[in-house]
Structure formats: structure tokens, C-alpha cells
């Protein structure tokens, strides 16, 4: 399983764009990159998943360079409710043994 | 219905008690998971059931005993726990797919062992 490295914490203000980078140097050919969000005392929630280039959905964008050794989760115009822990995970197809890294604690201030 | 439900929300038990945690999903998912999460730490995988069969056991002590009675239900039986087992226990489910399956997590059971 690929090991991931993320910043431990980040601070931002409401309305700003936040970019959280994840390093996964030993990603395998079949691996996908997935991001989860977790609020205190709740289960993690799927945000976005990608394999290469760029993926966008209604809440975030995921940028993956050609070598796939890193990825960046982009949250446009964050609000206070985006204060949470964000986890980057890599893994292959099917029923997956998800190994959570330490995650990034994002604090959004007014 | 895209929800995973867990009961109870909170549980306090003594070290000699026997209790069970329950998880349910009605999304037709064929994989179900138990995770343990300590405060300010990431979730740690405990067990994975695939098509109602135990496929992954992450060397969890035998005082935790999982059970999958059918494809919608997952139980975690607890016996002779230690205070260090106090944590948030999360259940998740996913459907098999050609890419990494999105896992849907329940709200968790907050367990306190006295």
C-alpha cells in the first residue's frame, strides 16, 4: 500500500481557495487517489477521487500531475463549515483496505 | 438510501461486560468494514467482510469478535475489553467496482470502557 504524506495542519480564511497537497511517491499503476473529509465525532466522508490529470465535482477539484507522485485537493472559496480533517488515500480496485495517513487539519477563520 | 446506521451512539461498559455494536446498510453494498479511531488519530482498519465472509482481520485481539449475519448487517461483539479500547468505532460499506470503492461511513459508536 502506498504511503501518503500531507501537511499536519493548514489555516485559511473564509472565501479563500485552499490547496492541500499529498505526496505518494510509491503509487502503483493501478492505484487511484481518493480524498475524505472528517468532522469531529463523525465518520469520514468521500470528497473526490481521481487517477490522472484533473477531476472536478461540485465541492472540490483534484489535480494530479503526469508522474502521479503527488496530488492536490483544491477547495474553492472555503467557509467556516469546511473546518475539518482531510485525508488523502491511494489504493487499487475493489474492496479496499483503506490506510489513513495522519491527515491535514484545516482551520477556516472568519 | 445512502446511509450507514450504527447503534448505539454511545456505550459505557465495564471490563467484565459483554456488549455488541450494530451496523446496517441498505445500499446493496457487498463489503463492510469496522474501524477504530482514537482521539486526534486517523481511523484504523480492524476487519473487512466481503460477500459476508471475513476477508481481512488486522491482527485484532480476540476480545473483539465480528459477525456478518447477512449482506446488510454487521456486528462487533465485545468481551473483556480494556480501558485502552475506549474509542470511536466506525462502520463503513462499499460496493465492488473497477476502481477504488468509495466507502460510506456511519456516525460511529463512542465506546468507553471503565
Amino acid at each position: 500500500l502506498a504511503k501518503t504524506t500531507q501537511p499536519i495542519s493548514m489555516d485559511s480564511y473564509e472565501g479563500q481557495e485552499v490547496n492541500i497537497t499529498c505526496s505518494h511517491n510509491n503509487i502503483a499503476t493501478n492505484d487511484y487517489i481518493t480524498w475524505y473529509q472528517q468532522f469531529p465525532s463523525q465518520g469520514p466522508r468521500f470528497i473526490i477521487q481521481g487517477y490522472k490529470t484533473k477531476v472536478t465535482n461540485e465541492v472540490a477539484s483534484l489535480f494530479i500531475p503526469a508522474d502521479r507522485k503527488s496530488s492536490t485537493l483544491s477547495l474553492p472559496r472555503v467557509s467556516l463549515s469546511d473546518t475539518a480533517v482531510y485525508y488523502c488515500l491511494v489504493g487499487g480496485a475493489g474492496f479496499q483496505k483503506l490506510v489513513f495517513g495522519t491527515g491535514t487539519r484545516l482551520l477556516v477563520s472568519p | 438510501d445512502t446511509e450507514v446506521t450504527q447503534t448505539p451512539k454511545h456505550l459505557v461498559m465495564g471490563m467484565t461486560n459483554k456488549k455488541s455494536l450494530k451496523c446496517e446498510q441498505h445500499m446493496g453494498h457487498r463489503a463492510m468494514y469496522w474501524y477504530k479511531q482514537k482521539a486526534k488519530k486517523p481511523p484504523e482498519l480492524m476487519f473487512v467482510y466481503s460477500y459476508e465472509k471475513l476477508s481481512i482481520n488486522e491482527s485484532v485481539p480476540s476480545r473483539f469478535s465480528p459477525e456478518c449475519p447477512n449482506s446488510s448487517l454487521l456486528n462487533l461483539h465485545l468481551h473483556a475489553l480494556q480501558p485502552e479500547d475506549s474509542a470511536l468505532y466506525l462502520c463503513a460499506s462499499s460496493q465492488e467496482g473497477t476502481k477504488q470503492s468509495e466507502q460510506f461511513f456511519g456516525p460511529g459508536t463512542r465506546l468507553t470502557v471503565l
Side-chain angles (χ1 to χ4, degrees):
Chain A
L1 288 169
K3 185 177 185 298
T4 61
T5 304
Q6 302 173 234
I8 292 176
S9 64
M10 294 181 71
D11 295 320
S12 183
Y13 293 98
E14 281 189 293
Q16 289 191 333
E17 178 184 73
V18 171
N19 296 310
I20 306 174
T21 298
C22 179
S23 172
H24 28 80
N25 289 322
N26 60 340
I27 188 169
T29 304
N30 296 336
D31 285 344
Y32 284 77
I33 300 152
T34 310
W35 287 80
Y36 283 81
Q37 174 193 55
Q38 187 177 26
F39 298 111
S41 297
Q42 293 187 27
R45 186 182 69 153
F46 174 93
I47 304 173
I48 197 165
Q49 182 181 81
Y51 184 80
K52 62 181 179 181
T53 63
K54 177 184 173 183
V55 179
T56 297
N57 62 22
E58 61 276 7
V59 299
S61 295
L62 179 58
F63 298 91
I64 305 168
D67 66 6
R68 304 199 328 122
K69 291 186 185 299
S70 67
S71 58
T72 300
L73 174 72
S74 181
L75 304 172
R77 295 182 299 283
V78 294
S79 64
L80 297 177
S81 62
D82 292 315
T83 293
V85 179
Y86 292 82
Y87 293 101
C88 159
L89 301 97
V90 296
F95 301 130
Q96 263 304 301
K97 174 178 167 173
L98 286 190
V99 177
F100 287 80
T102 52
T104 298
R105 292 184 180 276
L106 173 64
L107 175 62
V108 180
S109 301
Chain B
D1 183 2
T2 58
E3 198 180 34
V4 174
T5 58
Q6 290 187 245
T7 54
K9 293 185 81 131
H10 301 275
L11 178 62
V12 179
M13 60 186 291
M15 289 189 283
T16 59
N17 292 157
K18 282 186 181 181
K19 296 286 185 183
S20 296
L21 309 185
K22 181 179 172 181
C23 173
E24 195 164 1
Q25 58 88 15
H26 296 287
M27 294 177 277
H29 290 172
R30 303 317 301 265
M32 296 186 77
Y33 311 74
W34 280 115
Y35 290 84
K36 172 183 176 181
Q37 186 172 28
K38 303 281 274 186
K40 297 195 183 302
K41 296 291 186 184
E44 294 177 28
L45 182 67
M46 299 174 73
F47 303 104
V48 180
Y49 271 84
S50 169
Y51 291 92
E52 300 161 48
K53 288 186 170 31
L54 184 64
S55 63
I56 295 178
N57 177 341
E58 291 291 288
S59 302
V60 178
S62 60
R63 56 185 184 269
F64 295 92
S65 175
E67 179 197 17
C68 189
N70 60 56
S71 59
S72 300
L73 283 175
L74 186 66
N75 298 321
L76 186 62
H77 303 297
L78 314 171
H79 174 55
L81 293 193
Q82 305 296 310
E84 59 265 29
D85 296 321
S86 298
L88 180 68
Y89 287 84
L90 294 161
C91 173
S93 70
S94 71
Q95 68 181 152
E96 188 173 30
T98 55
K99 55 182 179 179
Q100 189 181 78
S101 301
E102 175 186 348
Q103 290 194 13
F104 290 78
F105 285 81
T109 293
R110 176 74 60 190
L111 174 67
T112 302
V113 182
L114 302 176

